[in-house]
Amino acid sequence: MRIKHKIDEFLFTIFPELKGGGGNNLITNTLEKYYTFGPFKPTVTIDNDWVTIEIDTQSITTQDAEYRQTVSLCEKGKYSEAKPILKKLIEKNPTNSEYYRIMGQILSDEGDQEEAINFLIDALRWDSKNGWALLMMGNVFAKFKNDIPTAMKYYDQAVINNPTDNIAVNNIGANLLQQGKLEEAKKYFWEANKINSEYPNTHFALGVIANSEGDLHSAFYSATKAIRLSNKKDQLFQNAVAMASDVAKAIILRGDAKKIVTEYLHKLEFEGDKLIETIIDNEIPTVAKLEVAENYNREKHQIKYKPNTPALEHLIMHELVHLDFIIQARKENINQLFISNEKNKEQFITGLEGSVKKLYKMGIPENKIANYCNDLFQGINSQIFNAPIDLFIEDYLYSEFAELRPYQFVSIYAMLKDGIKATTEKNIVELTPKHILSNTKIYNLVGAFHFKDLFGLDLIKDFQPSTFELKDAERMYKEFLEYKTDRKAGEEYELVQNWADDLKLQNNFELVDEETYRKRTASVDDLLKSIEEDPYDLNSNKAYKDRQMDKFQKSASDIGLNMAVVMFMVDALEYFDNVQKDKIKLAAFEIATVGTQGIVPEKKGYKLSSVPNKDFSGYHLLAYYYVTWSLAIPEMVAQLHLPYDNEYKMATSMHKPK
């Protein structure tokens, strides 16, 4: 078969790779490559403005079937059957380089290296650019002759002939690595990585070399890179995970992170102006725990931990970053506390009625059922508070403490595997209330998304999530990513509240402003002193109050005349009949303190120490808020920004003083 093309713009249109220059050599090489069929190469000649391609279709027709049969037999290791066919092919077409290359490979596999070299030399004489023949020659000299300089000549020529084939270059490195020639192998792996930095095999091999050389952090990096780029179903993926784990554990055994922990701890002592103790405590429910000094009436913060915990330094650093975030928020006067009381617990346990009945029927003692319910409450609350904040903490650790990453990998990997077990193991699934199990899984999934982003290891499907659980986790993680790009101090608490609201867990707790809460729980003398110094609470926590007031205004506006508020105001007017103004003022201040947290109109269960033995809904409390200030501090009512002027007018007209 003969094909002719005029060398003009149309040729460049159908072969766009010819544009931009390169001359006759580029045309010849491009068309030869395109019209090659298996081992059969065409003859390409250029005469003036024409290029001619001669294709030996007869040889292709008569020899291709035999050639493919030979390849198939070789793949099955049936060399004795393949060789006679191959010899006949060489007799018919002694110019075909690939026939010699295959014979050379057969002879090498059979152990006849000298004869293999002879056939491979013939292959290269007929086609000096036969990449597989060059690679085979390099392998023979490296593996069987231990002649690395000669092997490198053939390997280098293979790279020169095909400088964009990263897999061929990688394979050269792999052959040298098998021979224990680390330095020589490294050269080719780096070259392969330059050609294609997304090929996982190359990263894995670089990790193997780095590990052999004792460069453990580089080995860990390469292993995680291979994890990120490989398919979870491939053996390479499993090998890369094993290498990352083994190398990380070796780094942990060296104790590299002890200095990091010490330096960071002292930095936080300076910034927070308070000492930090690390204390062994085998009784704590988790492997490490931060106890903020002010929450325990202590002079020092404490990090408690269980010894002999894998990657313990990471867990201590995690708690220290948590303290760092608190210090940052305190500097802006916007730190918050996660408060949960018996009423929250009772409401939670009421929702477990079906599960409790099931446990009773199983004959579980009442005290164990109570402990189980308490553990569920404490467990989900821990997730509500920690899961969002932990993402910010781990992101900070990853970006700021690169040497800690192996510790982080081992530690988070172990926690996620525990999470998988806790949400998929049959007996746990059967006993755990569905909504608790689902929410627990969602919080774990968000952590799994983050772990995948950090280290490439995808454990998401291992949680066996439902479609809606996966969607919730994806949406929540996306929200975290939006926050993390420009996180400001204290914003992590917004995510705690947002996610709890999304998962309908908001009744388990309250997030309260730390400064206000501590004022409220201080001694009477301290409370009176703070009232004297700032009677209208105008100076404390302005940034936080502004944010909460925006939320409050939104909930309290545009509702028209609210008759419920009117009746609650009448109740307030009756309650404060004949009460001294100073006592009404104290009630006004107390409600104002609650108001800084944002009063939710529909919420129930508010209490006031100045109005004992009375439970308030949100609207009820808002009514008392307006009435107490109107009675005790009327000149300041407008500053409350409560849209209840008309309700108050109606309430006063309905109220008949005693």
Side-chain angles (χ1 to χ4, degrees):
M1 172 187 265
R2 175 181 293 173
I3 301 169
K4 293 189 74 172
H5 291 294
K6 187 172 178 58
I7 303 173
D8 57 12
E9 282 301 317
F10 183 71
L11 180 65
F12 299 154
T13 300
I14 60 176
F15 288 99
E17 58 267 47
L18 299 179
K19 291 181 180 179
N24 290 350
N25 284 339
L26 179 62
I27 294 172
T28 301
N29 292 337
T30 301
L31 297 184
E32 182 181 277
K33 183 177 180 181
Y34 180 80
Y35 289 106
T36 292
F37 179 78
F40 307 102
K41 290 185 179 180
T43 302
V44 180
T45 56
I46 295 176
D47 184 15
N48 294 321
D49 293 335
W50 289 88
V51 59
T52 303
I53 304 101
E54 296 276 358
I55 302 172
D56 188 353
T57 53
Q58 185 177 356
S59 294
I60 293 173
T61 303
T62 58
Q63 296 178 19
D64 186 52
E66 293 171 302
Y67 168 75
R68 294 189 181 282
Q69 182 185 8
T70 303
V71 172
S72 176
L73 290 169
C74 288
E75 287 173 348
K76 297 173 183 176
K78 297 180 178 180
Y79 296 147
S80 59
E81 296 177 39
K83 281 198 293 187
I85 301 171
L86 201 54
K87 285 178 181 178
K88 287 181 181 179
L89 286 173
I90 292 172
E91 288 173 4
K92 290 179 184 177
N93 188 357
T95 65
N96 193 308
S97 171
E98 194 64 6
Y99 295 163
Y100 294 99
R101 195 274 304 174
I102 294 173
M103 183 64 85
Q105 186 164 349
I106 290 174
L107 292 165
S108 178
D109 287 350
E110 289 180 336
D112 190 350
Q113 305 307 326
E114 295 301 329
E115 197 59 23
I117 290 172
N118 291 334
F119 272 93
L120 291 170
I121 287 291
D122 283 336
L124 293 171
R125 285 171 176 167
W126 286 109
D127 181 4
S128 63
K129 295 181 180 179
N130 187 325
W132 287 111
L134 288 166
L135 187 60
M136 275 297 302
M137 283 290 278
N139 292 349
V140 169
F141 278 98
K143 186 175 182 180
F144 301 106
K145 299 290 186 180
N146 198 27
D147 184 352
I148 299 303
T150 302
M152 297 286 278
K153 289 179 183 178
Y154 287 102
Y155 287 149
D156 287 343
Q157 193 61 39
V159 176
I160 291 168
N161 288 339
N162 199 350
T164 61
D165 188 351
N166 70 290
I167 296 178
V169 179
N170 181 85
N171 290 343
I172 293 171
N175 289 325
L176 290 166
L177 182 59
Q178 287 178 351
Q179 307 310 310
K181 309 297 182 183
L182 302 188
E183 279 303 315
E184 293 85 350
K186 198 191 305 185
K187 167 191 168 184
Y188 287 98
F189 286 127
W190 280 118
E191 189 63 34
N193 195 53
K194 270 196 268 182
I195 299 168
N196 180 5
S197 61
E198 302 296 303
Y199 189 53
N201 302 57
T202 302
H203 289 286
F204 181 78
L206 287 169
V208 171
I209 293 173
N211 191 23
S212 299
E213 294 176 336
D215 186 358
L216 298 184
H217 282 281
S218 292
F220 178 76
Y221 169 81
S222 294
T224 55
K225 191 77 175 174
I227 292 170
R228 194 182 301 278
L229 296 171
S230 56
N231 190 309
K232 195 172 182 180
K233 295 178 182 178
D234 294 343
Q235 185 61 45
L236 177 68
F237 175 87
Q238 303 299 332
N239 293 343
V241 172
M243 182 197 289
S245 298
D246 291 344
V247 171
K249 288 170 185 174
I251 291 172
I252 292 168
L253 284 175
R254 293 195 319 201
D256 294 352
K258 287 184 173 61
K259 184 180 177 184
I260 297 173
V261 172
T262 302
E263 289 178 351
Y264 189 49
L265 184 147
H266 290 325
K267 174 179 176 285
L268 294 185
E269 286 180 327
F270 175 77
E271 291 187 359
D273 197 24
K274 200 174 289 289
L275 293 176
I276 305 168
E277 293 180 308
T278 55
I279 299 172
I280 293 175
D281 188 342
N282 285 303
E283 302 304 316
I284 56 175
T286 55
V287 291
K289 179 188 178 188
L290 166 66
E291 293 188 355
V292 178
E294 291 80 2
N295 294 346
Y296 292 85
N297 258 337
R298 296 185 187 135
E299 292 297 317
K300 302 175 184 177
H301 302 301
Q302 290 185 355
I303 305 287
K304 294 184 174 180
Y305 65 91
K306 293 179 179 177
N308 305 318
T309 301
L312 176 62
E313 289 85 352
H314 161 256
L315 298 167
I316 293 174
M317 283 291 286
H318 180 100
E319 299 303 319
L320 286 173
V321 178
H322 206 139
L323 178 59
D324 194 352
F325 286 1
I326 290 171
I327 292 170
Q328 292 173 28
R330 283 177 171 176
K331 287 179 180 178
E332 301 293 326
N333 289 326
I334 53 173
N335 192 49
Q336 296 186 53
L337 300 176
F338 186 91
I339 305 296
S340 188
N341 55 33
E342 284 301 314
K343 186 156 189 177
N344 297 124
K345 188 195 291 188
E346 288 171 12
Q347 190 171 355
F348 173 82
I349 292 174
T350 300
L352 303 180
E353 186 176 353
S355 297
V356 170
K357 285 181 180 178
K358 185 177 180 180
L359 293 172
Y360 271 123
K361 287 181 181 179
M362 293 170 62
I364 307 296
E366 189 170 334
N367 66 320
K368 289 191 175 180
I369 295 175
N371 289 337
Y372 173 72
C373 292
N374 181 68
D375 289 345
L376 281 180
F377 180 67
Q378 299 298 337
I380 195 67
N381 272 11
S382 177
Q383 281 193 299
I384 292 169
F385 181 66
N386 287 306
I389 298 176
D390 285 354
L391 296 184
F392 290 105
I393 291 174
E394 295 303 339
D395 211 67
Y396 180 78
L397 286 173
Y398 187 87
S399 63
E400 297 298 320
F401 300 95
E403 290 185 5
L404 197 69
R405 289 176 189 174
Y407 293 77
Q408 198 176 12
F409 177 84
V410 169
S411 184
I412 300 176
Y413 191 16
M415 286 188 281
L416 284 173
K417 286 195 286 189
D418 287 343
I420 291 166
K421 182 179 178 182
T423 55
T424 59
E425 204 167 80
K426 187 177 178 182
N427 61 328
I428 298 175
V429 170
E430 288 175 351
L431 290 175
T432 307
K434 287 184 179 179
H435 67 289
I436 299 298
L437 182 69
S438 181
N439 287 336
T440 296
K441 188 175 290 190
I442 290 168
Y443 277 123
N444 272 285
L445 280 167
V446 177
F449 276 114
H450 194 225
F451 187 61
K452 179 186 175 184
D453 273 1
L454 295 183
F455 296 104
L457 184 50
D458 186 353
L459 301 174
I460 294 164
K461 289 184 179 178
D462 295 354
F463 283 94
Q464 303 169 22
S466 66
T467 302
F468 85 84
E469 287 166 347
L470 194 58
K471 284 183 177 178
D472 275 349
E474 286 174 340
R475 176 181 46 75
M476 288 159 65
Y477 186 62
K478 184 179 178 182
E479 187 178 10
F480 158 72
L481 293 177
E482 291 169 356
Y483 268 82
K484 85 157 193 165
T485 53
D486 59 349
R487 172 191 165 271
K488 296 178 178 61
E491 282 192 336
E492 58 271 17
Y493 297 122
E494 293 182 16
L495 220 54
V496 171
Q497 188 66 61
N498 291 350
W499 291 3
D501 292 343
D502 292 344
L503 299 177
K504 297 181 172 52
L505 295 168
Q506 68 274 18
N507 292 329
N508 277 30
F509 69 98
E510 276 188 279
L511 275 176
V512 299
D513 171 59
E514 181 181 29
E515 186 177 332
T516 305
Y517 178 82
R518 297 205 188 282
K519 279 185 181 179
R520 196 166 65 200
T521 56
S523 66
V524 175
D525 290 341
D526 289 341
L527 179 60
L528 291 174
K529 183 179 178 183
S530 68
I531 292 172
E532 287 172 6
E533 292 174 351
D534 186 12
Y536 304 122
D537 196 30
L538 299 176
N539 298 324
S540 68
N541 233 339
K542 187 174 186 307
Y544 176 78
K545 286 195 295 182
D546 287 346
R547 201 160 63 196
Q548 292 300 325
M549 185 55 77
D550 288 342
K551 295 179 183 178
F552 170 72
Q553 292 289 10
K554 187 176 179 181
S555 68
S557 63
D558 299 328
I559 59 174
L561 187 64
N562 190 321
M563 287 307 298
V565 172
V566 172
M567 300 311 298
F568 288 141
M569 284 182 168
V570 172
D571 174 59
L573 289 167
E574 290 176 355
Y575 183 87
F576 290 111
D577 259 348
N578 302 319
V579 174
Q580 292 179 357
K581 191 173 182 179
D582 287 347
K583 290 186 178 180
I584 299 175
K585 188 180 288 187
L586 281 175
F589 290 152
E590 185 181 1
I591 300 171
T593 300
V594 177
T596 62
Q597 307 303 314
I599 298 171
V600 181
E602 294 80 10
K603 187 176 177 180
K604 297 180 180 179
Y606 290 103
K607 290 184 179 294
L608 298 172
S609 59
S610 54
V611 186
N613 304 318
K614 205 173 187 73
D615 285 345
F616 292 88
S617 68
Y619 278 122
H620 199 170
L621 190 61
L622 288 170
Y624 266 65
Y625 196 1
Y626 194 101
V627 169
T628 54
W629 281 69
S630 296
L631 295 175
I633 323 164
E635 68 276 12
M636 298 294 292
V637 171
Q639 293 191 26
L640 299 180
H641 301 293
L642 288 171
Y644 294 147
D645 295 351
N646 292 332
E647 283 82 356
Y648 186 64
K649 286 178 184 177
M650 180 173 284
T652 53
S653 69
M654 294 171 64
H655 170 59
K656 296 178 181 179
K658 295 176 183 175

